[in-house]
Amino acid sequence: MLPTPRTERFPANTPAASQIFTTVLSQGPLTRLEVARRAGLSPAAVTKAVRPLIEAGYLTEGADEEARPALGRPATLVRVDGGRALFVGVKVTGDEIIGVVTDLCCRIRLVRHVPLTDCDLGAVLAAVADLVHELRAEADEGGAGVHGLGIAVSGDVDRGEGNVRYSPFLEWRDVPLAELAATTTGLPVTVDNDVRALTVAEQWFGAGAGRSDFAVVTVGAGIGCGLVVHGRVVSGAHGVAGEIGHVTVDPSGPPCHCGNRGCVEAIAGDAAILRRIRETTGLEVADSAEAARLAHSGVPGAREAYARAGEAIGRGIATVANLLGPELVIISGEGLAAYDLFAEQIRDTFAAAAFGSAARCDVRTRPLPFTEWARGAAATAIQSFIRADS
């Protein structure tokens, strides 16, 4: 993260302290002994870290109110005071900006949708600034204050520098978005790839909480993948780790916009499915909803296009499982609306292509609307606020 305006400094000023807070945030409430066990630290380290966090109001400590009296004295639990700080998350798509306000526990308090008719950088920055101003004005009525802004966009994003190197849907290249947005909003800004942001939310507040190795695969306009390895979201040396959308699964397949042929995205992305159906049926299919209707009604070319997409996705997921061995793969994205059309092919191809114990990976679906992607952006802002190394 580049230096940006900060309304308040988080009191956990060591990696151990931020790790302890993160453990309570994502897995709590917990006893101090359980915090120590899960964080892999000594009880003394936990006591040292917890004290300033309680004094600053970020943590509270009290008896477990749900414990039954018959079990004896209730355990004393440490928990996060979610209302202590607020964050704004913004997801930018090609035609809409979705904004949310969350508390420190990433629970959504406010949601706004703003149509986007112009993807010009200046127009998007102005729309984001107006939306953030509106959300802050309403959120500040509660008194907690907004402590950071997260922005999620598709494409090649360097979170550390706050730059959007390339976003195909917005047609942006080399945009210092964090710096520009910080100037227009007056908030510390974290910018990340939208799938990685969603993965952060799943890691800390969703299906991946408490898991050290898992992946989030998104299907829709593009095919994305967020990776968590040994408890950390991985972006790689050049920020493009997890690009399974551009793994070649059919060398003689259709050309991809990346310049290669037979990529997962060139077969299974929304545009690829539409193109395949048009080619095989001769029908002018308007959009993904019409494509799914044709497939559900039994049109052979439409069903074949989805089956082919499922095979490509299954092979892509198997590649992730073979390389990294995650215990869980979460499939999400707007493409889940037609999931029943290719679910069987995903499962069968994954089972056939996964090597050995990699096939034991739990593959499950989790529908997450774009509101949740905006929540993912807020999660990155929360992460930047509490972790000096994020």
Side-chain angles (χ1 to χ4, degrees):
M1 274 289 295
L2 293 172
T4 51
R6 186 167 296 287
T7 54
E8 179 179 335
R9 183 171 296 278
F10 188 64
N13 54 7
T14 66
S18 62
Q19 181 184 359
I20 289 165
F21 184 83
T22 300
T23 300
V24 178
L25 180 66
S26 61
Q27 302 174 46
L30 301 167
T31 65
R32 292 195 184 196
L33 285 176
E34 187 63 16
V35 173
R37 187 186 71 79
R38 297 194 188 193
L41 298 167
S42 69
V46 171
T47 296
K48 181 179 179 180
V50 162
R51 186 180 300 114
L53 290 166
I54 290 176
E55 291 173 352
Y58 288 97
L59 292 179
T60 63
E61 196 169 29
D64 182 359
E65 298 175 356
E66 297 181 0
R68 291 176 297 173
L71 296 178
R73 183 178 177 181
T76 299
L77 299 179
V78 181
R79 52 173 50 83
V80 172
D81 181 358
R84 177 62 176 78
L86 302 178
F87 297 84
V88 175
V90 170
K91 157 69 173 167
V92 182
T93 75
D95 56 13
E96 185 182 32
I97 300 175
I98 304 98
V100 300
V101 173
T102 77
D103 65 11
L104 185 55
C105 295
C106 217
R107 294 175 295 224
I108 295 175
R109 294 191 171 193
L110 298 171
V111 179
R112 294 288 185 275
H113 293 256
V114 176
L116 186 62
T117 57
D118 186 352
C119 290
D120 175 76
L121 176 60
V124 174
L125 280 171
V128 168
D130 288 345
L131 176 60
V132 171
H133 178 76
E134 178 186 340
L135 288 169
R136 288 185 73 180
E138 189 167 347
D140 284 347
E141 293 177 3
V146 172
H147 287 58
L149 165 64
I151 302 176
V153 300
S154 65
D156 182 357
V157 180
D158 183 337
R159 173 170 168 171
E161 294 296 323
N163 290 338
V164 179
R165 295 194 188 109
Y166 175 53
S167 180
F169 299 121
L170 296 171
E171 299 184 352
W172 290 354
R173 288 188 182 275
D174 300 320
V175 173
L177 187 58
E179 179 183 351
L180 294 172
T183 300
T184 58
T185 65
L187 287 170
V189 178
T190 303
V191 175
D192 208 345
N193 167 270
D194 53 356
V195 179
R196 279 202 300 269
L198 187 66
T199 303
V200 170
E202 287 299 286
Q203 179 191 25
W204 283 18
F205 308 106
R211 297 177 185 265
S212 63
D213 298 89
F214 73 94
V216 176
V217 173
T218 57
V219 298
I223 308 296
C225 180
L227 301 171
V228 174
V229 179
H230 298 321
R232 295 189 67 88
V233 177
V234 176
S235 59
H238 305 290
V240 293
E243 280 289 350
I244 69 164
H246 298 289
V247 169
T248 298
V249 293
D250 180 4
S252 61
C256 181
H257 65 81
C258 74
N260 293 317
R261 300 188 71 92
C263 297
V264 175
E265 190 167 302
I267 298 171
D270 286 346
I273 293 172
L274 289 176
R275 184 168 53 249
R276 179 71 176 180
I277 294 174
R278 290 167 183 153
E279 290 172 354
T280 57
T281 67
L283 299 173
E284 286 299 322
V285 186
D287 54 29
S288 295
E290 184 179 350
R293 284 196 298 271
L294 289 173
H296 281 126
S297 65
V299 174
R303 294 197 68 86
E304 181 269 343
Y306 279 102
R308 192 164 173 254
E311 291 169 1
I313 295 168
R315 199 168 296 280
I317 293 174
T319 299
V320 172
N322 290 341
L323 287 174
L324 299 173
E327 58 181 308
L328 170 68
V329 172
I330 302 163
I331 303 176
S332 192
E334 66 271 27
L336 284 192
Y339 186 71
D340 61 304
L341 293 169
F342 49 74
E344 182 179 354
Q345 288 77 17
I346 290 177
R347 288 194 300 267
D348 291 349
T349 306
F350 170 77
F355 175 75
S357 296
R360 295 166 56 189
C361 174
D362 180 12
V363 179
R364 67 176 72 165
T365 59
R366 182 163 154 77
L368 295 167
F370 276 142
T371 300
E372 292 296 315
W373 295 58
R375 177 175 176 261
T380 66
I382 295 170
Q383 186 182 63
S384 293
F385 180 65
I386 69 176
R387 275 175 37 173
D389 61 343
S390 61

